[in-house]
Amino acid sequence: MSDSPVSPLTLICVGSSFAFSGLFYHLYQQKRQEIHNIEKIPKVQLNKDLIKILAASHRKRLGYAVIEGIVQPEGEPLASQFVPRCFGVIQKVIVREHKKVWNSITNTWNDRTQNSKESTNTVPFSLVPRGGDGGDGVSVQVVSPLEASNLCLEPVYRRLRKAQEGFVDYIAQGLSGEKPVGLQETEEMLRVGATLTGFGELVLEPGRVLKLQPPRDGQEYLLLLSDYKSFLQQHQKSLSMWKVLTALFGLAGATLLAYILYREYRRQTDNSQA
């Protein structure tokens, strides 16, 4: 058995293992609390009972609730600019310019991307129950969808149009230090028939009109392109990942520490017998 003391690298590995384990445990606890907070939010069903619940509530509103439904336009939907027979209620078209910029220090061309054009169109839409869920014709109008945090839309079209280059273009590139690569066109939509889960304030207005709108108390207004069950499952997967990483790094640190202690014990034993 070697009498050499424990190497600094071994100590660093032990400390790092426990440090990462502590970090992952902290993230695990954060995610666990986040899931707990989500599960505490009232989830209401889109049916006639919802009207009764709101009618009996204070000021005929629920300050913060979860509701799930299918996207349906209240009038004519938006048609995709690029995809035939593709319709939605929110449409975002982004044109990004890709170019290469000359770096005189490294003598290389560096990539650069910038948005040269972005447009967003919306039409009024509602959430309706899934087919066969017994919604009895009940629907919820979605108010101010563009105010929702992290609104994710479905990409329906993406294309890169390469720039045309000629002799004059090469001369201009040498003078300006910029070489156009092309224009990337992207279209994203909230499509008709998509499943949407909303977190926000539910209001019953005169005429039995239901509305989902940004909360007045400042809580996060969310519109998720997913059903509620899948949304929770994604959070559960993250929770499991942090739990596994906590255990793995904790076990690695404990194993290294046990090895160090055992090695030190053998060294002391050998020295006492010498």
Side-chain angles (χ1 to χ4, degrees):
M1 181 68 62
S2 174
D3 292 340
S4 61
V6 179
S7 68
L9 180 60
T10 303
L11 295 176
I12 291 174
C13 289
V14 172
S16 299
S17 296
F18 285 123
F20 277 114
S21 180
L23 172 62
F24 294 141
Y25 181 73
H26 175 70
L27 294 174
Y28 167 79
Q29 291 290 353
Q30 278 189 334
K31 179 59 66 174
R32 185 179 179 182
Q33 183 62 44
E34 183 180 352
I35 293 175
H36 177 68
N37 293 337
I38 291 173
E39 291 176 336
K40 287 196 305 182
I41 301 171
K43 184 179 186 298
V44 297
Q45 297 297 323
L46 189 48
N47 51 35
K48 283 188 176 181
D49 290 338
L50 177 57
I51 297 179
K52 297 177 183 178
I53 293 172
L54 288 171
S57 302
H58 180 59
R59 295 184 179 179
K60 297 183 179 181
R61 68 181 65 238
L62 291 177
Y64 202 61
V66 187
I67 192 166
E68 176 186 326
I70 303 299
V71 174
Q72 287 295 330
E74 295 185 7
E76 289 294 323
L78 298 167
S80 169
Q81 295 184 13
F82 307 100
V83 183
R85 296 180 297 279
C86 180
F87 301 97
V89 294
I90 300 178
Q91 176 191 56
K92 179 184 289 186
V93 178
I94 305 172
V95 179
R96 292 187 176 92
E97 182 181 4
H98 293 263
K99 63 174 66 175
K100 292 183 179 294
V101 179
W102 179 254
N103 188 324
S104 58
I105 298 177
T106 60
N107 290 330
T108 57
W109 289 96
N110 298 330
D111 294 328
R112 177 181 296 178
T113 303
Q114 64 184 31
N115 289 3
S116 57
K117 181 181 178 182
E118 181 175 329
S119 62
T120 303
N121 301 311
T122 64
V123 295
F125 69 96
S126 300
L127 298 181
V128 300
R130 291 176 179 271
D133 282 0
D136 299 317
V138 178
S139 63
V140 176
Q141 296 179 9
V142 180
V143 180
S144 304
L146 297 183
E147 294 184 17
S149 302
N150 301 320
L151 178 63
C152 293
L153 305 178
E154 177 186 354
V156 296
Y157 177 84
R158 182 180 288 111
R159 179 180 178 183
L160 178 63
R161 299 180 181 273
K162 293 186 178 181
Q164 301 294 326
E165 296 182 343
F167 178 73
V168 177
D169 298 312
Y170 282 112
I171 296 178
Q173 293 169 13
L175 296 175
S176 65
E178 294 187 352
K179 180 190 298 183
V181 175
L183 293 176
Q184 183 181 30
E185 296 174 319
T186 303
E187 184 180 28
E188 301 174 348
M189 300 186 76
L190 176 55
R191 300 178 67 172
V192 173
T195 299
L196 194 71
T197 300
F199 290 72
E201 184 180 67
L202 281 169
V203 181
L204 176 62
E205 295 194 344
R208 297 164 62 90
V209 176
L210 296 170
K211 290 187 176 181
L212 175 68
Q213 61 189 28
R216 297 184 181 185
D217 59 4
Q219 294 192 76
E220 195 171 21
Y221 185 37
L222 291 172
L223 296 176
L224 306 173
L225 197 58
S226 166
D227 59 80
Y228 180 73
K229 182 179 179 181
S230 299
F231 172 67
L232 277 182
Q233 286 176 344
Q234 290 176 357
H235 282 275
Q236 292 288 355
K237 288 180 181 178
S238 296
L239 182 70
S240 299
M241 179 187 69
W242 295 131
K243 185 177 182 179
V244 169
L245 289 174
T246 299
L248 285 177
F249 278 84
L251 180 61
T255 302
L256 283 173
L257 181 61
Y259 169 74
I260 292 173
L261 294 176
Y262 172 75
R263 184 178 177 183
E264 182 65 18
Y265 168 77
R266 289 296 303 273
R267 188 175 71 86
Q268 293 293 339
T269 302
D270 292 345
N271 289 339
S272 63
Q273 294 176 353

